[in-house]
Amino acid sequence: MAAPHRHRASPRPTPWDRFVLLPDDDRRELIDGAFIETEMPTKLHEHIVGCVFFYFRLWVREHGGAAYPSGYRVRIDSRHGFFPDAQLYHPGNRAEQADEGCVRGAPDVVL
């Protein structure tokens, strides 16, 4: 006689799954599975980030790789993720860079 068929419950979404579904203008970070509000950046902060990102892009143009401004998520694990202000990936970096963010591995430089 065949074993009874068990209905499998669909897996619950992980905190990371919920994190990547946040709207683009929602800048909360994922810390210990909870969404944590971040402070609004100052004008000076944004100026510095812009300057650093400019040099990241110059480096990428000459050496290859990728650079992303704030808004591209980085996954630490299923309960931790954040939005670096800028990030740089060396051409040999094997991090998995999906549309929703860096889901495996890490950037080489993070600001």
Side-chain angles (χ1 to χ4, degrees), residues 33-82:
F35 297 124
I36 306 298
E37 294 286 335
T38 58
E39 293 183 26
M40 290 298 296
T42 64
K43 183 170 91 173
L44 176 60
H45 175 270
E46 290 299 289
H47 176 77
I48 292 168
V49 168
C51 290
V52 170
F53 183 70
F54 172 79
Y55 286 106
F56 280 4
R57 291 296 302 149
L58 288 177
W59 191 91
V60 166
R61 186 179 301 166
E62 185 173 331
H63 302 285
Y68 303 110
S70 58
Y72 190 68
R73 295 169 174 93
V74 172
R75 182 182 197 263
I76 305 301
D77 58 34
S78 67
R79 296 176 49 80
H80 299 86
F82 67 108

Side-chain angles (χ1 to χ4, degrees), residues 82-96:
F82 67 108
F83 294 99
D85 290 316
Q87 48 193 300
L88 174 70
Y89 294 81
H90 186 272
N93 186 318
R94 298 193 185 277
E96 186 178 336

